Amino acid sequence: MSLTTRVLIGMLSGLLLGVVLRLLGGVEGTTSPLGAFLDTYLVSGVFEVVGKVFVISLKLLVVPLVFVSLVCGTSALGEDNRRMGPMAGKTILLYLLTTGIAISMALMMAVLVGPGVGINLGEETTYAAKEAPSIKQVIINIFPANPVKAMAEGNMLQIIVFALLFGVAVSKSETHGKKIGEFFTSLNEVVMKMVTLLMELAPYGVFCLMAKLFANLGIDAIVGLLKYFLTVLAVLLLHGLGVYSILLKTLSGLNPLMFLKKIRPVWLFAFSTASSGATIPVTLKTVEQKLGVKNTIASFTVPLGATINMDGTAIMQGVATVFIAQAFNIDIGIGGYLMVILTATLASIGTAGVPGVGLITLAMVLQQVGLPVEGIALIIGVDRLLDMVRTAVNVTGDSMVSCVVAKTEKELDTDWFNKVDAESA
Ligand code: ASP
């Protein structure tokens, strides 16, 4: 059985078990003796421990993998490293473009559907917004003062900057650089092997994550916010399946069905962990080994995308803004909508791909257009589930852009891309 199938089975059985446990009362804070037993030993016991250890182990690989792989990628460019600039420019432009499309579509759909029309407000609207960083600070924060600190904090953009500089220096250092380059190539193989080993454990990790999550996930909140929930979901699916397919086909000529089929493990991991950051090892491995994108491209586009490209998040923010505006009966006008597009696109840069970060940047968007930040309290109840789906969209976007950039830079092995059983994971 392929790994993808096993992960899928782990996910679905975890989900079912979670629902059953919930029905049996195994919920945090329960008073029934059976429920308390189930919660203590299973839900908040084994499942929580195994699930957390799984996500922690994925995160463990992110910094070494991104650094080593990017140094390899950049140093391998050798004399070609002048191509780095246009390649980086193209990548960033595509990331911004897809986010722009995502949020515009979300705004239009939300205005059409009107998810917040007729909502009765006034109660339970308290939400303490965390301070969102200013654009100025975001730019300054891209540059590391201390590479060790950047790595210790897992600051992806700073790690990327350092790795690029290091890789370019390696490629320019002739014999010494060659030795270091070879060392990093071997190191890259070893770190990739660690990813493979860890992925073997994924079905169990995913099973526990799902069981814990669904045991504690009430659907009452979703019922109350059904219109909002479904609008976000519809736009996420439209973007993740439709827009990406069209863009991939028109910009690179590659087969979208093959693409969507091959990246299944990526979105399964993203869905279960709700973190593009923690999914980086899987995204990188899949994009390189199944889709045939060369390391020179993928080592840059994937970690960068996990940090700055959040189309799914932008979609949630677009719908949420309209929802909150309607719920509070505030008309933000066309200028307001344009401002939302701009702020949400920029807000995704510099915020790490971790669970729930979209809500923090949403506060920034709301403030920018003068909407009450407390409105976030209205949608928080259904955010976790949407977070999982939008993270899957985020990583699909990263993979799609990686393919387009690689294809147009002639760094994609098209035969490998089209090979059905390439790297049987
Ligand atoms: N969880 C998302 C990610 O990691 C970010 C968010 O929308 O909160 O990509």
Side-chain angles (χ1 to χ4, degrees), residues 274-276 310 313 353-358 387 390-391 394:
S275 165
S276 334
M310 295 186 191
T313 307
V354 293
V357 75
D387 193 3
R390 69 180 183 249
T391 309
N394 290 347

Side-chain angles (χ1 to χ4, degrees), residues 94-115:
L94 278 171
Y95 280 150
L96 293 180
L97 176 80
T98 50
T99 310
I101 296 178
I103 184 147
S104 313
M105 211 160 73
L107 286 175
M108 276 190 289
M109 188 78 122
V111 170
L112 276 179
V113 175

Side-chain angles (χ1 to χ4, degrees), residues 118-184:
I119 294 228
N120 190 17
L121 286 176
E123 319 119 36
E124 34 107 43
T125 45
T126 43
Y127 176 78
K130 291 207 188 96
E131 187 72 33
S134 70
I135 302 286
K136 192 169 97 181
Q137 207 50 45
V138 167
I139 295 172
I140 296 175
N141 278 347
I142 295 176
F143 299 91
N146 180 339
V148 178
K149 184 160 175 264
M151 289 187 195
E153 289 173 350
N155 188 322
M156 206 47 65
L157 293 182
Q158 295 194 353
I159 297 173
I160 291 176
V161 169
F162 182 63
L164 285 178
L165 190 62
F166 192 85
V168 170
V170 168
S171 73
K172 288 189 178 301
S173 300
E174 291 163 11
T175 36
H176 295 297
K178 203 155 172 274
K179 276 190 225 153
I180 298 285
E182 277 162 10
F183 170 73
F184 267 87

Side-chain angles (χ1 to χ4, degrees), residues 7 10-11 13-15 18 42-43 46-56 58 201-217 268-275 278-279 355 384 388:
V7 174
M11 199 167 110
S13 43
L15 191 153
L42 278 183
V43 181
V46 179
F47 295 158
E48 183 169 339
V49 172
V50 178
K52 282 205 166 140
V53 170
F54 173 62
V55 176
I56 288 172
L58 273 176
L201 298 176
Y204 310 102
V206 167
F207 171 79
C208 293
L209 282 176
M210 288 293 121
K212 158 104 174 95
L213 187 80
F214 278 84
N216 284 301
L217 194 80
L268 283 179
F269 272 72
F271 183 81
S272 328
T273 59
S275 165
T279 312
R384 175 66 207 203
M388 295 160 77

